[in-house]
Amino acid sequence: MRYSFKSFVCTLCLGVTVAALSEEFHEELFLRPLRDGKVSARFSFSTLLNGAVPRDPETLGAEDESQLYTLFPLALGQILREYAVTELHLTLNAGKWNYDRWGYPDEPGVGTGAELWAWMGEGGIASVDNRWLGLRNALAGLFCASLGSLDEQRTTSPVLTFQPEGSLPNSTVNYRLRHATLPSEHVCTENLTPFLKLLPCKSLSGIASLLNPHKLFDADWHGLGMHVRYLEGAGVEVRLATQAVLDPVRTSSDKRRDWSLSAIFDRRIEKACPVARSSVIRVRLPQNETYAIVPSPSTMDSIYATYLVREMEKPLDVAILWPEETKFVYPTAIEPQTHISVHRTLNGASQHAGHLALTVTNNHDTELQAGYLETMPWLLQFYLHTLHAEIDGVLRDDLVKLISYTPALPHVQPALLQAVLTLPPRSTMRLTMDVVKPFLAYTEHPPDAQRGWDLPPAVFVPFASQNASQIGSDPQQGAVLSDVRSTRMYTPVLLVDLATPDFSMPYNVIIMSCTLIALIFGMVFNTLTRKFVVVRVDEKKSS
Amino acid sequence: MDAISKPALAFESPLTRRSIIAAYFLVIFLALPLWWKTTSIERQGLPASRVSAQIGRDLVFPVRIALNTGPHELGMDRIVLDVQRQIEKNGDFEQNGLQLHVSNAATANDYQVTLRLGTWDPVIKGREVVLEILPEHVGIAAMQVADILVTLLMPYTSLWSSQAERIVSYSPRYRLAFTLLNEDATGDNAALSWDVRGALSAQLSPLLARLSVLHNFTIESQVQYHGPLAFEPHALQVAEKTEYGLTPEDLTVFVNSAQWTLSSSVSNDPVLHFIAFIPSSRHSPLRILDSDGSPTPSSAFILPQWGGIVIYNPESTGVAHTLAGRPLDAIFATFRQQLSALLGVPELPPHVQVRSNELAGVTDWQLDALVRRRAAENTASAQETLQSIVRLVAQIEDMPVGEDVKGDVENALAALDQTYSTASSSQFQVLAFASKAQSIASRAFFNPGMLALLYFPAEHKWAVYAPLFASVAAPLLASVIREAIVWRREKKAKAAVAPAADDRGHKAG
C-alpha cells in the first residue's frame, strides 16, 4: 500500500510542476436549409484537454495519475483511462439518412442504430478484447444504451474503412481496431439526458440549451455522436455531436419553409455558456433565392452567415424567411446530391435462402471507385461464389476487385466482406449474391416480441478512380476528384426474418415428445420381448 | 390353456427373451453413473467446525505502557502498581481487546507516559504523552494516568452512535471525488475553475500519506457549472439583508443526484464525494440553520458514509475565474476534517496538546487506535461472513459449493488465524491479515457459482423426468414381473411333472 501511495504523491508533485492542464470548450451549431424544405442542424461541442496523452496500455496494472478535470467530462475520462482507449467513436441514430436529397451529412456517422468503434493499443495486463468488453459495458451504463450486446458476434476489425481520425501516440505499440454495430438500437430521451450531462453547461445555457428532446426526437432524422481522438501536439479531444433533420414545413400552419430557432427547437438561446471559448452559430445561406435573415449576423459572406453567441443580444433567435414565397412547393425531382447512390435489398420469401442485391449508381461523368464493406452477423451467411456484378444486364465481374472476406462462424463471429468497386460514369451497377438464413438456438432469440432481425448497414467509401488520376490532365475531371471526399456512406438497414419457434409451450413440448418416445419404446420393447405361441385350433370342435 | 403347455415357436426361446430384458436393465444400470454425474450438484464440504470455532474469538492486542517519572519524587514502584490496579479495575480495556502491561522500563515500540509535576495540559509527542500533575493531586496521579490512557487508547468508546455511524466501512481503496459545484455559473457569483492541485498537495496529501498504511486513494476532481437544488431554500431577514437558509431537513435532501453528475461507473471501489457548493446569486448568501431556524456559523456538513459538503459564499459578487488561495485552502481544510471523520480517525480530547505538526494532525496514538479498530472490525466481519456462508449452505440443499468457494473459506480461516497469531507483534500486520480475511470471505460469499441451481429446483427436474421415465419404466417393470411369474410357475411345473417326464418324452417322440 505504501509504495503505491508514494507513486500517487509523486504524480501529484509532477502534476504541480507540469502545471494544470488547460482545457478548452468550443461549441458550434451549423444550420443548413435542404432542397426539400427541411433544415439540417448539427451541434458540435468539443472539449480539448491540452497536453494530455491517452493512457499507455502498459501502465494498466499500475497506479494511474489523478484525474483532475475542469471542463472535460469526468465520467468519460474515467472510462477512457480505465480501458486505455486511444480513439473512440460512438453514434446513436434513428431514421434513414437520405443521401440523394440531403447530400453528405455534416457528421459522417449516420448508420441507423448504434455504432461503436475504438482504436486501442496492445500490451499490458489486459488484452484488447477484454478492454473492448469493459468499454462496451461502461458506455452502455453511461449512455443507457444496450451497447453491452455489441459482443464478439458483432465485432469486426475493418481497418480500411475506419482509419483513425486523430493520431495514434508514436510508440512501438501495435494499435487494434474494434468495430461493432447494433442497428436495432433506437435513440431516445434516455440517451440524450446522459449525453447532455457530459457537457459543461448541460442544456441550461449556451447552444446546448436548444437541445429540446420533444423537438429533436420529432425530427425526420436524428442522431447523437461522441468522438474521442488524440491530436498530436494538442491533446485529447472529446467531441459530442447532435445532428437532426427538421421539417419546418410540416409544423408551419401555412405550409411555408420559413424557420427560426424558436420554431424548430421551441427554444431560444437565453444565456451564453460562460466557459465556452467560442460559441458560434453558422447558417448556410440559400443560393439564387430571395430570402431574409434576422437578426443581422456578426459576419456574413455569400455562403455563410455567422453569429457569435456571446456578442449577440439575448435571447437569440435566428430565423430565415422567404418573403416572396406564399407556400412551399416540394420540388418534383431532386438531382442526387452525392457522387454515388446506393440501394440494398434482401429478396426471397423463404426462411432458408435469400438473395442480397445492391444497386450502386455513379451520378458523375467520370469513373469513380468505391470501397464496399459488409460487417454481417452470422444471421445472414453469404455464398461468396455467387457474387456477381452487372451493368445494364451485362455481366461485369471485372469491376469488383480486391475482395477480402472473413467468413462468419455461426454463434461466434460475423462475416467481414470488403471489396473495391469500379463504377463507370453515369451507370448503375447491380451486385447480387445468394445468402442463406441459419437456425438459431432457442436461447439466442430475444425475449421481446419478434419483428425479425435488423442487419447492419453496408458502408461505401467513394474515392477517385486510379485510372482517372493517371489521365489527370482533364481540368473538369480534376475538379470532380478534389470534390470527392473520402467520407463514409451508410446504406439503410435490412430486416431478416429467421425461422422462429413457438416459445409459448415448452412444457407441452416436453410432454408431447416424451409421450412419443415412450410410445416408440413400448412398441419396440413389446415386439422384442413378446412371446409368440402357435394356437392349434381344435378341428373337431369347430366342425 | 397354459402358455407353457403350448409348444414354443422355433425361433423363440425364453433365454433370448430374458437376455433382451436383462440387456435393457444392464444399459440402465451402466447409464446410472453418467446420469448421476451429470445431474448431481458439486457440494464441497465446508470446514463448518472450524468456522463455528471462530465464534467468540476476539482479537487481543497486548499494549505495553512504560511509566517514566524522571528523577522525581512521585514514587515509581508504588505508582506503577497503582496504575496497573486502576486499569484492572476498569473493565473497558478488556472488553475492547486491550491487554495493558505497565512497567517502568521502556523499549522501542512502547507507549510512554511521562509524569511530571506542573500545571500544563497533557502533551503528546509521538507515542509519548507528558502528563503534568498538580502537586496537590499527587495522591490521585494513578487515576489521572488511567483516565488519559482510556481516552487515548480507546477513543471510540466515547463516540455517540451518530458519530460512529457516519464512518464508512473498510475498503482497501477509496476514490475521493472532489467537485466544485456552481449552482448557476451564468449568474453573478460563480467560480469557473479552481486550483485543485495546489489545494490537494497543501491540505490533503500529508493526511493521505499518513493514512496510507490503512487505505489507498484514487483522486479525481471535476467542475460543474449548473447544479440546481431540488428544493427552494428558506428566505430569512438578517440585519435588513435577505439571506437563505437550509434547515436540517433540507440538508438530508441537499444532494440532487438526478441533476448533479457525481456518480462514477468504472470501478467498484467506494467513492467519497467532497463538494464545494457555490450558491447562485439568487440564493446568496446561503446559510445552514439549526433546528430553531437561526443561522449557524458553520458552512459545512457531512453526509454519513457518503461524503462532505462545504457551502462557499464568495465575499465579493462577480465571477471569480479561479478559486484559489485562502478561500480554497479553507475549503480543503474542511474537506480534510470531513475525510478524517468519515474514515474514522478519532479526535483527541480537547485538552490534550500535540507537540509536533508534521504528522498531518494525526498522532501515533490516534493512528494506532484506528488501526486496531479497523482490524477488529474486519475480523468480526470476516467471522460473520464465514458463519453466514456455512449457515446458508446448510440451509439450501441444492446450492452448489465449488472448489473455489471451499478454497476461499479455508484461506479466509487461515488469514484469520494469522490475524490472531500476529496480534501480539504488529498492529499493521494484523490489519493486513484481517482485511485479507474479510475480502476473501466476502468473495466466497458472493461467488456467482453458488447461485447456479437456485432457480432450477429438484421439483422442476422431476417434472421434466416423469413424463419420459414413468412411461418407459411401466412396460419394463411389467415385463420383469411377468417373466418372474412365468419362471416360478415353470419351476413348479417342472418339479411336479419331473417323475412323468420320461413317459411324456416317449409320447412326444
Side-chain angles (χ1 to χ4, degrees):
Chain A
M1 274 189 202
R2 190 164 288 188
Y3 287 111
S4 60
F5 184 78
K6 267 187 191 149
S7 71
F8 156 71
V9 175
C10 289
T11 50
L12 206 66
C13 308
L14 260 177
V16 173
T17 50
V18 166
L21 297 167
S22 58
E23 295 169 32
E24 291 173 26
F25 175 64
H26 299 274
E27 53 178 11
E28 192 202 50
L29 167 61
F30 179 50
L31 292 156
R32 183 163 64 106
L34 301 171
R35 299 281 171 94
D36 55 358
K38 299 185 172 59
V39 180
S40 149
R42 192 273 302 256
F43 296 80
S44 169
F45 308 93
S46 66
T47 310
L48 180 67
L49 195 59
N50 273 320
V53 182
R55 189 172 183 183
D56 182 356
E58 297 288 347
T59 66
L60 270 175
E63 190 83 0
D64 193 18
E65 60 190 76
S66 302
Q67 297 179 53
L68 308 175
Y69 298 127
T70 309
L71 299 166
F72 199 83
L74 174 64
L76 183 63
Q78 284 174 335
I79 294 174
L80 294 178
R81 293 207 71 87
E82 177 81 19
Y83 303 108
V85 181
T86 307
E87 181 161 326
L88 170 73
H89 299 269
L90 167 69
T91 51
L92 294 165
N93 300 318
K96 186 175 78 176
W97 185 272
N98 194 331
Y99 284 95
D100 285 351
R101 287 170 162 239
W102 303 340
Y104 290 111
D106 303 310
E107 293 287 331
V110 292
T112 307
E115 181 182 40
L116 176 68
W117 54 288
W119 282 89
M120 291 183 278
E122 273 187 332
I125 50 163
S127 72
V128 170
D129 285 309
N130 274 340
R131 280 148 57 203
W132 169 243
L133 170 75
L135 175 70
R136 268 158 22 205
N137 290 332
L139 288 174
L142 188 62
F143 284 101
C144 299
S146 11
L147 302 176
S149 37
L150 293 172
D151 52 9
E152 310 72 52
Q153 299 188 28
R154 294 184 173 272
T155 303
T156 55
S157 185
V159 283
L160 294 178
T161 315
F162 294 91
Q163 282 291 313
E165 290 182 0
S167 33
L168 302 174
N170 189 17
S171 70
T172 51
V173 178
N174 282 328
Y175 284 88
R176 294 272 175 263
L177 169 71
R178 292 290 178 270
H179 172 273
T181 48
L182 188 64
S184 52
E185 179 70 13
H186 201 84
V187 58
C188 196
T189 319
E190 77 223 24
N191 308 118
L192 181 67
T193 310
F195 177 90
L196 291 174
K197 278 187 177 177
L198 298 179
L199 298 174
C201 289
K202 308 237 171 77
S203 65
L204 294 164
S205 63
I207 287 174
S209 59
L210 296 175
L211 288 173
N212 175 359
H214 291 284
K215 286 292 182 181
L216 195 64
F217 294 120
D218 179 42
D220 292 29
W221 187 95
H222 50 264
L224 307 175
M226 182 183 73
H227 309 276
V228 181
R229 56 182 179 161
Y230 168 64
L231 299 168
E232 190 97 53
V236 174
E237 182 203 60
V238 54
R239 200 167 60 80
L240 295 154
T242 308
Q243 198 169 210
V245 175
L246 302 131
D247 190 355
V249 183
R250 171 156 61 91
T251 45
S252 95
S253 53
D254 47 1
K255 301 294 162 209
R256 291 164 66 98
R257 59 168 160 160
D258 302 351
W259 58 262
S260 63
L261 293 184
S262 55
I264 54 179
F265 296 116
D266 205 15
R267 281 185 191 169
R268 296 173 297 183
I269 299 179
E270 310 277 347
K271 293 181 278 192
C273 174
V275 287
R277 186 155 304 178
S278 72
S279 184
V280 180
I281 298 180
R282 277 198 311 146
V283 182
R284 194 184 160 99
L285 300 170
Q287 305 294 313
N288 310 324
E289 285 172 331
T290 318
Y291 65 90
I293 181 164
V294 285
S296 64
S298 310
T299 56
M300 185 158 137
D301 57 26
S302 60
I303 303 172
Y304 297 111
T306 309
Y307 294 87
L308 302 174
V309 173
R310 202 179 289 221
E311 292 164 14
M312 299 302 293
E313 195 185 328
K314 310 282 183 320
L316 175 61
D317 187 6
V318 177
I320 286 194
L321 312 169
W322 282 264
E324 291 181 354
E325 207 175 75
T326 51
K327 189 181 171 197
F328 178 66
V329 183
Y330 284 100
T332 45
I334 296 177
E335 182 88 340
Q337 302 285 301
T338 49
H339 298 94
I340 61 171
S341 311
V342 186
H343 298 277
R344 187 174 66 151
T345 47
L346 183 63
N347 310 322
S350 97
Q351 284 191 326
H352 172 63
H355 202 64
L356 187 71
L358 285 108
T359 53
V360 189
T361 308
N362 182 354
N363 300 321
H364 267 258
D365 295 328
T366 49
E367 187 178 87
L368 286 176
Q369 289 195 309
Y372 165 46
L373 168 74
E374 287 275 8
T375 54
M376 190 60 75
W378 57 273
L379 302 171
L380 201 65
Q381 292 165 8
F382 299 149
Y383 283 129
L384 197 65
H385 68 281
T386 60
L387 177 66
H388 291 299
E390 57 184 54
I391 292 177
D392 299 330
V394 183
L395 205 62
R396 292 291 304 272
D397 284 350
D398 57 309
L399 296 180
V400 185
K401 280 178 255 171
L402 296 173
I403 298 175
S404 84
Y405 179 59
T406 315
L409 291 178
H411 313 278
V412 180
Q413 70 170 42
L416 177 65
L417 171 62
Q418 298 177 93
V420 174
L421 312 179
T422 307
L423 305 167
R426 294 278 168 200
S427 60
T428 300
M429 176 192 282
R430 197 174 139 80
L431 271 178
T432 56
M433 182 164 39
D434 288 346
V435 293
V436 65
K437 303 172 187 176
F439 273 106
L440 302 184
Y442 87 102
T443 47
E444 284 167 334
H445 287 275
D448 332 346
Q450 179 71 302
R451 63 177 272 267
W453 294 82
D454 290 289
L455 299 176
V459 182
F460 279 82
V461 183
F463 56 92
S465 168
Q466 275 175 347
N467 295 342
S469 65
Q470 277 162 10
I471 301 165
S473 54
D474 187 355
Q476 193 202 341
Q477 218 166 39
V480 172
L481 293 183
S482 66
D483 200 26
V484 173
R485 290 177 287 177
S486 77
T487 181
R488 296 187 299 276
M489 293 176 71
Y490 292 81
T491 65
V493 297
L494 292 176
L495 197 65
V496 63
D497 186 21
L498 300 181
T500 313
D502 182 0
F503 291 108
S504 59
M505 38 180 77
Y507 197 70
N508 295 9
V509 171
I510 291 173
I511 298 275
M512 183 66 196
S513 38
C514 284
T515 312
L516 271 180
I517 291 173
L519 211 67
I520 295 166
F521 172 83
M523 276 160 58
V524 172
F525 183 75
N526 255 336
T527 323
L528 283 174
T529 59
R530 170 148 300 166
K531 190 171 163 190
F532 292 95
V533 287
V534 181
V535 181
R536 290 224 172 74
V537 182
D538 202 336
E539 282 171 20
K540 286 175 199 164
K541 266 186 187 171
S542 65
S543 64
Chain B
M1 284 285 106
D2 244 348
I4 317 149
S5 61
K6 302 255 163 50
L9 288 176
F11 58 87
E12 265 194 340
S13 82
L15 190 68
T16 319
R17 195 170 57 244
R18 282 169 196 168
S19 43
I20 288 172
I21 295 169
Y24 273 96
F25 279 92
L26 188 73
V27 167
I28 289 174
F29 181 74
L30 289 179
L32 268 179
L34 184 73
W35 172 78
W36 185 254
K37 185 141 181 20
T38 49
T39 57
S40 65
I41 305 161
E42 188 192 5
R43 264 171 85 88
Q44 298 280 340
L46 291 180
S49 60
R50 279 178 69 198
V51 170
S52 57
Q54 297 286 337
I55 300 173
R57 221 172 146 187
D58 283 324
L59 266 185
V60 177
F61 295 98
V63 175
R64 274 188 296 279
I65 311 275
L67 261 185
N68 181 9
T69 55
H72 286 289
E73 56 295 317
L74 283 166
M76 184 58 121
D77 296 336
R78 193 175 57 80
I79 206 149
V80 167
L81 281 177
D82 279 356
V83 170
Q84 186 77 49
R85 202 176 309 131
Q86 285 287 343
I87 286 167
E88 276 161 18
K89 221 161 64 182
N90 189 339
D92 282 353
F93 284 106
E94 210 174 316
Q95 263 179 23
N96 287 280
L98 289 181
Q99 209 172 38
L100 264 67
H101 303 282
V102 187
S103 69
N104 51 10
T107 54
N109 270 329
D110 289 357
Y111 295 96
Q112 292 187 38
V113 182
T114 305
L115 281 178
R116 229 189 267 165
L117 283 179
T119 55
W120 291 98
D121 282 336
V123 177
I124 288 179
K125 201 170 69 183
R127 286 206 162 78
E128 184 188 2
V129 60
V130 179
L131 193 61
E132 301 207 340
I133 291 169
L134 296 172
E136 59 267 33
H137 288 165
V138 168
I140 55 164
M143 215 146 85
Q144 285 189 339
V145 172
D147 278 353
I148 193 105
L149 286 178
V150 168
T151 52
L152 287 179
L153 289 174
M154 306 185 300
Y156 296 103
T157 47
S158 60
L159 276 189
W160 304 321
S161 63
S162 68
Q163 278 175 317
E165 274 164 16
R166 71 188 182 195
I167 297 174
V168 291
S169 55
Y170 181 82
S171 157
R173 178 179 284 275
Y174 295 102
R175 293 183 94 92
L176 306 181
F178 297 90
T179 307
L180 171 62
L181 190 85
N182 292 285
E183 191 187 350
D184 183 3
T186 57
D188 279 342
N189 50 347
L192 301 188
S193 65
W194 57 347
D195 177 23
V196 63
R197 282 169 201 275
L200 278 174
S201 61
Q203 296 287 340
L204 271 159
S205 302
L207 175 68
L208 300 185
R210 188 88 172 115
L211 295 177
S212 63
V213 290
L214 286 138
H215 313 284
N216 282 319
F217 297 97
T218 308
I219 293 187
E220 53 201 30
S221 82
Q222 59 174 340
V223 180
Q224 299 237 351
Y225 301 96
H226 291 279
L229 291 174
F231 57 92
E232 192 61 30
H234 302 261
L236 326 157
Q237 292 297 323
V238 178
E240 300 185 359
K241 277 191 298 183
T242 311
E243 293 197 344
Y244 296 85
L246 301 167
T247 63
E249 290 75 43
D250 290 343
L251 297 184
T252 60
V253 294
F254 186 79
V255 175
N256 183 355
S257 36
Q259 278 166 300
W260 301 359
T261 319
L262 299 174
S263 61
S264 79
S265 50
V266 290
S267 83
N268 290 328
D269 303 325
V271 188
L272 295 176
H273 294 279
F274 294 94
I275 296 176
F277 182 81
I278 301 182
S280 65
S281 49
R282 224 161 44 81
H283 292 150
S284 222
L286 190 65
R287 309 269 181 228
I288 296 175
L289 308 179
D290 57 18
S291 45
D292 304 332
S294 48
T296 59
S298 163
S299 65
F301 60 98
I302 285 184
L303 289 175
Q305 308 201 11
W306 188 86
I309 293 165
V310 174
I311 294 167
Y312 175 63
N313 294 301
E315 306 242 321
S316 58
T317 52
V319 175
H321 281 285
T322 301
L323 185 60
R326 194 171 296 170
L328 190 65
D329 273 351
I331 291 172
F332 270 78
T334 316
F335 283 161
R336 188 188 61 218
Q337 288 167 10
Q338 290 174 333
L339 176 64
S340 40
L342 288 166
L343 293 179
V345 177
E347 281 172 33
L348 283 179
H351 62 281
V352 175
Q353 310 288 314
V354 179
R355 176 66 52 86
S356 59
N357 250 339
E358 67 220 34
L359 298 171
V362 182
T363 61
D364 285 342
W365 294 82
Q366 289 167 290
L367 193 66
D368 289 350
L370 179 61
V371 168
R372 282 194 299 266
R373 181 198 150 102
R374 288 302 197 185
E377 186 186 298
N378 281 336
T379 314
S381 137
Q383 285 175 359
E384 212 169 290
T385 313
L386 288 176
Q387 284 160 28
S388 312
I389 297 174
V390 170
R391 253 201 321 272
L392 197 68
V393 168
Q395 220 166 49
I396 303 175
E397 283 167 7
D398 289 334
M399 183 179 263
V401 180
E403 198 66 59
D404 47 348
V405 175
K406 188 187 173 193
D408 276 350
V409 169
E410 277 169 354
N411 289 343
L413 281 170
L416 271 181
D417 287 341
Q418 278 173 312
T419 310
Y420 295 121
S421 60
T422 48
S424 55
S425 53
S426 161
Q427 292 175 352
F428 297 119
Q429 271 194 345
V430 173
L431 177 67
F433 283 128
S435 83
K436 186 181 160 201
Q438 206 273 328
S439 66
I440 298 178
S442 70
R443 189 175 69 193
F445 188 77
F446 293 108
N447 191 308
M450 290 170 81
L451 286 174
L453 285 190
L454 218 53
Y455 306 106
F456 191 66
E459 292 88 341
H460 196 154
K461 206 156 60 189
W462 292 120
V464 175
Y465 285 157
L468 178 64
F469 288 159
S471 43
V472 168
L476 268 178
L477 289 178
S479 67
V480 170
I481 293 168
R482 201 172 58 206
E483 282 303 319
I485 292 170
V486 168
W487 178 71
R488 265 182 61 190
R489 204 178 285 166
E490 246 173 31
K491 215 169 118 188
K492 225 183 263 172
K494 231 180 229 170
V497 175
D502 287 344
D503 302 1
R504 258 194 211 181
H506 283 294
K507 268 182 198 169

